[in-house]
Amino acid sequence: MLVAAAVCPCPPLLVPEVAVGAAPELDALRDACGDAVGVLAASRPDLLVAVGPAELPASGAFPAGTRGSFRQFGVALEVRLGSAGETDGDNGPADDLRLLPPSLAVAAWLLRGWHASPVQGLGVGEQLAPDRCAAAGQDVAASAGRVALLVMGDGSASRTVKAPGYLDDRAEGFDASVAAALAAADTEALAGLDPELAQGVRAAGRAPWQVLAGAARGAGLGGQLLYEEAPYGVGYFVAGWT
């Protein structure tokens, strides 16, 4: 049964070592993500599942201890899912070949020091249909007596002309609808997000949010929106559901 959820964005820039000189620009976002993870810890889960967008073949389940790397972003930093800390990227075991997708590597970084419960990961294909997202969420919610979710995903990447997806007039309205759904823990609104529109405005969080919708259906959780901004023209949201 789902007892709590936290929603966070997943830009690698959340990790200060990746952001370097721009790191202070996202301090408020990092603080909000820390508060959201605190919501999860307070729920005393039996299992925490981190869910994030992933491209094939990096979708599917990831056990505790799976390694994530930020080397592709120019930083020799590694994390492990459910581990207490970070490691130097040159010291990882050579036989650990399957890496976390970037979204779950950021989740592992947010969870450094987590000791409240076992941790697993789930990479969700960005093209996964809404009904399959909902089914995956229901399976996750049924996987332990008390389940918490850390749901990673960005909003539209088309809020300004300098955004990764350039300017799309639909992006602001899409993000506003997501923010309202997260604030109200509105599972029906999240489940009803249009995959084609999400793809058009380059919102990578659509599938993970719909996994959350499936997991939370009938759980009676309330929501609180902790952060809503669009730095760099990308919609970022942080929310806690309990």
Side-chain angles (χ1 to χ4, degrees):
M1 175 181 178
L2 188 71
V3 296
V7 176
C8 296
C10 51
L13 289 175
L14 265 180
V15 180
E17 291 88 340
V18 176
V20 193
E25 298 176 10
L26 295 183
D27 279 347
L29 175 56
R30 292 186 192 97
D31 289 345
C33 289
D35 291 342
V37 171
V39 168
L40 301 182
S43 73
R44 297 176 289 106
D46 300 320
L47 174 68
L48 171 64
V49 181
V51 182
E55 297 180 1
L56 292 173
S59 59
F62 294 87
T66 303
R67 182 167 56 96
S69 174
F70 295 97
R71 190 178 296 277
Q72 63 181 297
F73 305 106
V75 178
L77 175 69
E78 291 185 354
V79 290
R80 285 191 176 272
L81 191 63
S83 174
E86 306 159 356
T87 64
D88 186 317
D90 294 326
N91 293 330
D95 60 348
D96 189 3
L97 298 180
R98 189 172 187 235
L99 292 175
L100 295 169
S103 64
L104 294 184
V106 175
W109 181 82
L110 288 174
L111 291 170
R112 64 201 188 283
W114 175 270
H115 298 290
S117 69
V119 179
Q120 297 176 3
L122 178 63
V124 183
E126 294 186 36
Q127 305 303 319
L128 196 66
D131 60 338
R132 295 186 62 190
C133 292
Q138 291 166 1
D139 289 344
V140 169
S143 63
R146 295 178 62 84
V147 177
L149 289 183
L150 173 57
V151 183
M152 310 297 293
D154 299 345
S156 72
S158 304
R159 293 281 291 270
T160 69
V161 295
K162 293 184 178 180
Y166 196 65
L167 176 64
D168 189 315
D169 291 339
R170 303 171 295 173
E172 187 171 355
F174 176 88
D175 284 349
S177 68
V178 172
L182 294 176
D186 189 339
T187 59
E188 293 305 316
L190 290 181
L193 292 174
D194 182 353
E196 291 187 5
L197 175 57
Q199 183 177 8
V201 298
R202 298 184 60 175
R206 189 275 307 172
W209 298 331
Q210 291 185 325
V211 171
L212 168 61
R217 186 169 294 141
L221 302 183
Q224 182 180 10
L225 191 65
L226 304 175
Y227 181 96
E228 178 194 2
E229 297 290 344
Y232 317 121
V234 182
Y236 294 154
F237 315 102
V238 180
W241 290 15
T242 55

